[in-house]
Amino acid sequence: MRAAAPPMSTKALLADTTTVRLRPRYEGSNICTWIGFKHVNYLIEEAVLVHFARSGAPARRLYEEHGLGLDIVALDSRILHAFHLDDEAEAEVVPDTSDGATALAFRVTLRVVRDGSVLKAVTAKVHVSLRADTYLPEPLSGPAEPPGEFGRFTVDRLGEGSPTEPRPAVPDGDERAVLAALTEGRNAHAWKWNITYPYCHFTERLQMSGYLRLMEEAKDRFVKSRGISIKTLLDDRRWIPVVPRSWIRITDEALMEEDLYTVYTVEEIFKDLTYTARMDCYAVRDGALTLTATGGIVHGYALIENRRDWHLVPFDQRVLDALAGKASGT
């Protein structure tokens, strides 16, 4: 007979620091042995989940006993040093929720050992909402009832209170018209995708890791559309994209098997070293566009020196023209 778990409290969640050792997944090593930004962000997510578990409020218990889905709704990370395959990260999660805030906030730091020294490799800010489950009917699950202290962080829908920007009405189902409206006057690339269940969680909605995968794909589709695909620059000059920063914020819910339009827009090219792109995701509802997530990513390029080392390189004219959407003579 299993002993009853003690009542959940936000005391440790809001006050205690959690430190855990984590390793990036093998899947994230796509070029030589370096780990891509998406899997670095997965480490951040895992560290936050461990913090909830050690604070007595694991994601499974929150959902099964109280009908609360743990959703990361904002993630902003800076990569200061690259992770390699088989690196072990020391992740530190520090609560950072301000008085009166309706989302749980955390600061996460990933550290790694290099040549006998401990380096601060990644810093991140994370916001979490607890989404009351409404998918399963009450006879199966009972009503979603957050423990008293958790009520402040519980929402009926993700993105509640997010500012909305006016968007033009578009013919529902007319893919070309929607893509044209989203890219008009922008240095952008857009495509439509039907949300598949491996990108979702809690039975119905797209989760933060799904948006990270979309951001990675958006970059890939954009550079391919401009004639400088990842493989093209790898084969031509051994250049790989590097990401010093990325951020995503969920502004509304996107549901399984719903059509999602993703727009990747180049906003700024800083000298010839980095460029910043924005990612916006939209669903078409009642003939109008609804923003479900927005974010951004900073990119540069590095030259592969050997199987272990690389160094940053400036953009050449071909890459600058492609990023700016200009015809190149090179």
Side-chain angles (χ1 to χ4, degrees):
M1 185 174 180
R2 189 173 64 179
M8 283 196 292
S9 166
T10 60
K11 182 178 179 180
L13 199 61
L14 296 176
D16 292 354
T17 294
T18 293
T19 302
V20 59
R21 303 196 75 83
L22 301 169
R23 296 166 70 92
R25 296 297 88 200
Y26 197 62
E27 178 195 334
S29 179
N30 307 123
I31 308 295
C32 295
T33 63
W34 302 299
I35 300 299
F37 87 98
K38 178 183 69 180
H39 277 261
V40 172
N41 280 306
Y42 286 178
L43 290 175
I44 295 165
E45 178 185 65
E46 183 66 20
V48 171
L49 291 172
V50 170
H51 177 72
F52 270 81
R54 290 187 180 175
S55 299
R60 176 181 175 181
R61 187 180 173 197
L62 282 167
Y63 181 75
E64 291 183 354
E65 295 185 13
H66 301 284
L68 300 178
L70 192 161
D71 274 278
I72 293 178
V73 292
L75 174 57
D76 186 339
S77 62
R78 296 177 184 270
I79 300 175
L80 311 175
H81 295 278
F83 272 92
H84 290 251
L85 185 66
D86 293 333
D87 271 341
E88 187 174 63
E90 180 188 76
E92 180 185 65
V93 181
V94 179
D96 193 33
T97 305
S98 59
D99 292 341
T102 56
L104 292 145
F106 305 95
R107 288 181 284 111
V108 181
T109 302
L110 303 182
R111 297 181 175 88
V112 67
V113 175
R114 287 280 183 271
D115 301 322
S117 299
V118 178
L119 301 179
K120 182 186 291 186
V122 179
T123 61
K125 297 177 181 179
V126 184
H127 288 82
V128 173
S129 288
L130 303 177
R131 165 57 155 86
D133 182 56
T134 53
Y135 186 82
L136 292 176
E138 286 190 18
L140 291 177
S141 60
E145 295 182 349
E149 299 174 27
F150 289 80
R152 162 184 164 196
F153 308 110
T154 299
V155 298
D156 292 325
R157 187 176 181 86
L158 299 183
E160 287 182 344
S162 296
T164 57
E165 58 177 289
R167 300 297 301 177
V170 293
D172 198 354
D174 188 338
E175 181 178 340
R176 290 186 178 183
V178 176
L179 293 174
L182 288 171
T183 56
E184 183 179 3
R186 295 185 181 187
N187 179 15
H189 178 78
W191 83 98
K192 184 182 83 169
W193 170 70
N194 188 261
I195 300 171
T196 57
Y197 92 90
Y199 286 69
C200 300
H201 69 173
F202 297 115
T203 319
E204 59 178 346
R205 60 187 176 274
L206 185 60
Q207 60 177 305
M208 177 59 75
S209 65
Y211 282 114
L212 287 167
R213 292 160 75 179
L214 280 174
M215 181 171 274
E216 186 175 54
E217 183 175 354
K219 154 73 177 187
D220 187 79
R221 285 175 174 264
F222 174 80
V223 294
K224 187 175 183 179
S225 74
R226 298 297 175 91
I228 54 167
S229 73
I230 304 298
K231 181 169 172 56
T232 296
L233 293 191
L234 273 171
D235 291 348
D236 287 355
R237 60 192 74 178
R238 302 198 314 277
W239 282 18
I240 60 169
V242 293
V243 178
R245 186 188 174 200
S246 65
W247 62 97
I248 298 174
R249 177 172 55 87
I250 293 176
T251 58
D252 201 342
E253 296 185 356
L255 304 179
M256 188 187 303
E257 296 190 2
E258 190 171 32
D259 286 337
L260 197 73
Y261 289 85
T262 301
V263 190
Y264 184 90
T265 306
V266 173
E267 292 194 311
E268 180 184 17
I269 301 174
F270 180 72
K271 296 183 177 179
D272 58 355
L273 295 173
T274 61
Y275 75 94
T276 301
R278 190 172 87 242
M279 182 186 78
D280 297 305
C281 297
Y282 298 92
V284 177
R285 295 168 183 160
D286 299 323
L289 291 163
T290 297
L291 182 72
T292 65
T294 186
I297 190 166
V298 178
H299 265 293
Y301 279 99
L303 171 67
I304 299 174
E305 298 176 15
N306 51 55
R307 288 192 291 268
R308 181 182 301 170
D309 303 309
W310 54 264
H311 68 267
L312 294 174
V313 292
F315 304 148
D316 62 10
Q317 196 59 49
R318 176 187 177 188
V319 171
L320 285 169
D321 288 345
L323 295 177
K326 299 177 182 177
S328 177
T330 59

